[in-house]
Amino acid sequence: FFLNHAADCNAVLKALQPIFQEQGMTETVHNWEDHGYLATYIKKNGSFANLRIHPHGLVLVDLQCYSDHTKGREEVDQLLNKVEERMKELFHGNIKRVKRLPAILRGGVIDRYWPTADGRLVEYDIDEVVYDEDSPFQNIKILHSKQFGNILILSGDVNLAESDLAYTQAIMGSGKEDYTGKEVLILGGGDGGILYEIVKLKPKMVTMVASNIDQMVIDGCKKYMRKTCGDVLDNLNGECYQVLIEDCIPVLKRYAKEGRMFDYVINDLTAVPISTSPEEDSTWEFLRLILDLSMKVLKQDGKYFTQGNCINLTDALTLYEEQLSRLYCPVEFSKETVCVPSYMELY
């Protein structure tokens, strides 16, 4: 509750006390003169409530209980309804804003909460754990969302969902490129989405390689992300593609030494780091190395595509653009903003 004026902390406490006492909750009150009140109410079954009253006019109520059935949630809603009604009676229209948040479910079998790139918490409509394994490199999860289909999550980072064709199309050039008869190098892309879409466009040859590409990611995706990868991960070698389970850095160095050149290089290894201190973040050094090596295997008129990061990370994105002016050869670049459904943010 956010009030239009300063709060009478004692009056709020006395008004709400009977509601919690009716629930058989024992009360403990802490009073800090100029900083308001904190009252805790504890029930015999372990449920408890915190009532925090700030003198400037902010009143917070938090309820926590163990309940895995509908009846328990209904009881919580009824208690909060009584608190809201009593506050409105007490302040007679002097409440600027009332905001009730849905319950956060902790300790559930299915984890529904994942952070966005810019640090906001998103609750997904996850209803099934499809795949959950630890590889030597990372934790691999594939979770099912009612909206987005199966979602690939690597070490807590939402990578790609079956709904996210927009991401794949954007990192391929948004339908503006002609891949017919072209040589293409994909760095990363273990979910198989980019490979699957490019193979449809009749390239001469597509080579997919990544830094420590994880065979377990490929195994999970070819079984549970087939709407994304189709059948291209069933075999590591196809009519016009090959998948190398190798570290991409030695491969890039070898290709550069051999003079092998590509019409397109698509980097799907990692997003731009969130850190804005490149000297302190080895990920920036990795990105610079990949950029330089990629330019050495890219034809003079070739194109390099990569993801950036969410649109809100303006400092990190600007820093990445500055790296492009430091490459051993001059380059021109453009950028595009795309809405990726399962990310719930613009990229």
Side-chain angles (χ1 to χ4, degrees):
F1 303 90
F2 192 62
L3 310 181
N4 286 318
H5 50 68
D8 183 335
C9 298
N10 192 48
V12 173
L13 182 65
K14 288 183 177 179
L16 297 183
Q17 274 175 336
I19 296 174
F20 297 105
Q21 290 170 352
E22 288 170 6
Q23 300 293 317
M25 299 175 118
T26 58
E27 178 188 74
T28 303
V29 179
H30 302 272
N31 177 10
W32 302 279
E33 296 183 1
D34 297 331
H35 299 286
Y37 286 48
L38 169 65
T40 59
Y41 301 89
I42 302 174
K43 206 170 183 176
K44 289 182 179 179
N45 64 3
S47 300
F48 66 89
N50 289 327
L51 170 63
R52 182 70 170 96
I53 310 166
H54 295 270
H56 69 278
L58 179 64
V59 179
L60 305 175
V61 181
D62 295 307
L63 282 172
Q64 189 172 125
C65 64
Y66 177 76
S67 177
D68 56 359
H69 52 80
T70 304
K71 184 180 178 182
R73 291 193 292 270
E74 289 176 351
E75 290 174 353
V76 169
D77 282 337
Q78 290 172 3
L79 179 58
L80 290 175
N81 287 339
K82 289 180 181 179
V83 170
E84 188 170 335
E85 290 169 7
R86 187 69 191 95
M87 286 290 290
K88 289 178 179 177
E89 290 173 2
L90 181 64
F91 289 100
H92 304 292
N94 285 314
I95 299 177
K96 183 183 295 184
R97 185 171 69 248
V98 177
K99 181 69 174 179
R100 187 189 299 190
L101 300 176
I104 293 177
L105 306 177
R106 295 176 174 173
V109 175
I110 299 175
D111 188 358
R112 301 162 59 98
Y113 305 97
W114 300 94
T116 60
D118 60 346
R120 292 173 291 111
L121 187 63
V122 171
E123 179 177 3
Y124 286 85
D125 55 349
I126 304 296
D127 60 3
E128 182 184 358
V129 178
V130 176
Y131 182 83
D132 188 357
E133 298 288 344
D134 288 311
S135 79
F137 309 107
Q138 60 201 330
N139 174 258
I140 307 160
K141 284 185 175 66
I142 298 177
L143 307 179
H144 180 264
S145 157
K146 296 175 185 177
Q147 292 183 85
F148 306 122
N150 286 345
I151 304 176
L152 174 65
I153 300 175
L154 300 179
S155 296
D157 182 30
V158 175
N159 270 237
L160 197 74
E162 292 176 319
S163 62
D164 297 344
L165 182 59
Y167 172 93
T168 303
Q169 290 175 332
I171 204 170
M172 290 170 53
S174 299
K176 302 170 186 175
E177 304 301 319
D178 181 7
Y179 286 93
T180 306
K182 300 297 176 62
E183 291 272 0
V184 183
L185 177 63
I186 301 172
L187 306 177
D191 53 70
I194 298 171
L195 179 61
Y196 180 54
E197 295 302 323
I198 287 186
V199 165
K200 296 177 186 178
L201 303 178
K202 310 299 182 184
K204 180 179 179 181
M205 176 56 67
V206 183
T207 300
M208 187 171 95
V209 59
S211 179
N212 290 333
I213 192 168
D214 198 329
Q215 181 67 52
M216 289 180 67
V217 173
I218 290 179
D219 292 342
C221 289
K222 73 180 180 182
K223 186 172 182 179
Y224 300 112
M225 299 281 290
R226 294 189 76 85
K227 289 182 181 178
T228 296
C229 66
D231 60 358
V232 295
L233 297 181
D234 292 351
N235 297 293
L236 298 184
N237 292 280
E239 185 177 341
C240 63
Y241 71 87
Q242 61 177 339
V243 179
L244 305 181
I245 312 296
E246 299 182 46
D247 187 328
C248 74
I249 293 176
V251 173
L252 283 169
K253 289 180 178 178
R254 183 171 75 243
Y255 286 169
K257 186 176 181 179
E258 295 171 352
R260 185 172 176 185
M261 305 297 283
F262 295 87
D263 298 286
Y264 294 94
V265 176
I266 301 176
N267 180 351
D268 194 32
L269 286 169
T270 183
V272 169
I274 292 176
S275 167
T276 54
S277 301
E279 297 79 10
E280 300 173 6
D281 192 334
S282 62
T283 309
W284 280 108
E285 296 175 9
F286 173 74
L287 283 181
R288 288 194 200 101
L289 177 61
I290 295 296
L291 273 168
D292 264 326
L293 290 173
S294 296
M295 295 305 109
K296 290 177 181 177
V297 300
L298 189 64
K299 292 181 180 179
Q300 186 71 23
D301 59 349
K303 290 187 179 179
Y304 174 91
F305 290 114
T306 189
Q307 60 174 309
N309 213 316
C310 87
I311 197 170
N312 286 341
L313 294 175
T314 54
D315 290 345
L317 289 167
T318 299
L319 189 57
Y320 180 80
E321 292 176 12
E322 290 175 1
Q323 311 309 309
L324 302 179
S325 64
R326 301 177 185 178
L327 296 174
Y328 80 93
C329 62
V331 298
E332 296 178 352
F333 71 91
S334 62
K335 52 190 176 181
E336 181 179 357
T337 299
V338 176
C339 179
V340 182
S342 76
Y343 291 8
M344 299 195 200
E345 55 187 335
L346 294 177
Y347 246 65

